[in-house]
Amino acid sequence: MPIKDLVAGINDVPEKDAKIAAGLPYRDYMTVGVLVPHLNLKNETRIKTVGNIVPDDWVYVHDRSVKMGRFQVYNNWSPYLVKDLEHTIWMGLEYFCNEGDSMWSMTDDEFAKMAIEEMVKMHLIDSTSDVLDSHVERVKKAYPAYFDTYDQIDDLRAYLDTIQNLFCVGRNGQHRYNNLDHSMCTSFETVKNILSGSTDKSNIWNVNTEMEYHEEAEGSEKKA
């Protein structure tokens, strides 16, 4: 649960802590899944893919003439996400917005139309008529942001830690831009504490506070 909503639902929160929680900022998110028979992007790498599509999972968009922030190629996340893997590609077109703004307030059809037209503008596909299907999703508080009252988050954490049977986990639960692996790790640490009866929650909050993040790739370690 987002810390902002959590604290708002607790009775008798100290005024200082209530103000910190109420001021925590977020960025919201909209995406449209688009099914197409092909992409104009060519696979110019040595990585083999089904249908020889580009091997990327997601790509950030730096074209200022469009509003799209990033797109995903779901085929590359898992072949089980696509019914006809050999002949179709599921794309996820991603947009960063704020709940209630002009983009968020679009109808699903309006939003999908805009996004698909941007695909054409970016030469990802040739025509809007290439699209076989689409689906829109909205995600509130997708990205915890590090401004406004965030500089007082440690004070708020100290208050939350006084509630013995409350464990703050995950991206929104800690107001931290964790990836899914980190979010799961906070839950693993919580289970350890519950089973051991530990009341020290520092191990949960310390997940993803290291300065470096390491991943294994093709047998070699690289820093990201």
Side-chain angles (χ1 to χ4, degrees):
M1 178 185 291
I3 289 180
K4 188 172 190 172
D5 297 342
L6 170 68
V7 174
I10 299 176
N11 294 326
D12 302 321
V13 176
E15 183 178 357
K16 181 192 73 171
D17 299 305
K19 285 184 177 180
I20 297 172
L24 290 175
Y26 300 83
R27 190 76 161 145
D28 304 302
Y29 164 90
M30 291 181 68
T31 186
V32 55
V34 178
L35 183 65
V36 294
H38 67 273
L39 284 177
N40 289 335
L41 294 176
K42 295 181 179 179
N43 182 10
E44 297 180 348
T45 74
R46 296 181 180 179
I47 301 173
K48 294 182 179 180
T49 60
V50 176
N52 200 35
I53 63 173
V54 291
D56 304 88
D57 292 330
W58 65 63
V59 175
Y60 283 87
V61 177
H62 300 280
D63 185 345
R64 294 187 178 184
S65 69
V66 298
K67 296 179 180 179
M68 192 186 304
R70 186 173 65 186
F71 63 83
Q72 298 196 48
V73 185
Y74 293 129
N75 296 51
N76 295 331
W77 284 109
S78 169
Y80 300 105
L81 292 174
V82 184
K83 184 177 181 180
D84 187 355
L85 189 66
E86 297 283 349
H87 304 102
T88 59
I89 302 169
W90 267 112
M91 300 284 291
L93 313 181
E94 304 183 22
Y95 293 79
F96 311 115
C97 56
N98 292 309
E99 183 182 356
D101 67 13
S102 59
M103 186 178 295
W104 186 273
S105 301
M106 286 181 172
T107 66
D108 287 0
D109 288 344
E110 290 171 340
F111 179 69
K113 181 177 182 293
M114 177 202 72
I116 292 168
E117 288 175 349
E118 289 198 342
M119 286 188 76
V120 175
K121 187 174 185 178
M122 294 165 59
H123 306 293
L124 295 176
I125 58 177
D126 293 323
S127 169
T128 58
S129 62
D130 292 344
V131 174
L132 304 173
D133 197 5
S134 65
H135 176 77
V136 173
E137 289 287 343
R138 293 168 175 79
V139 182
K140 298 178 182 179
K141 297 182 174 67
Y143 302 101
Y146 296 160
F147 51 91
D148 291 349
T149 59
Y150 178 77
D151 61 351
Q152 303 172 65
I153 192 73
D154 287 342
D155 293 335
L156 181 57
R157 168 191 160 180
Y159 161 71
L160 293 171
D161 282 350
T162 65
I163 305 174
Q164 188 171 348
N165 63 340
L166 174 64
F167 299 90
C168 295
V169 301
R171 175 180 285 188
N172 274 315
Q174 295 191 330
H175 202 87
R176 185 178 296 161
Y177 191 25
N178 287 331
N179 63 28
L180 186 58
D181 293 333
H182 292 132
S183 295
M184 290 190 294
C185 282
T186 60
S187 294
F188 295 157
E189 293 299 318
T190 295
V191 172
K192 290 179 185 177
N193 285 14
I194 293 172
L195 292 177
S196 67
S198 174
T199 57
D200 180 6
K201 301 174 184 177
S202 59
N203 59 319
I204 303 170
W205 289 100
N206 286 341
V207 172
N208 192 24
T209 57
E210 65 273 15
M211 295 302 294
E212 292 183 335
Y213 178 59
H214 299 274
E215 289 183 344
E216 293 289 334
E218 298 181 3
S220 63
E221 185 177 73
K222 66 178 182 179
K223 299 176 182 178

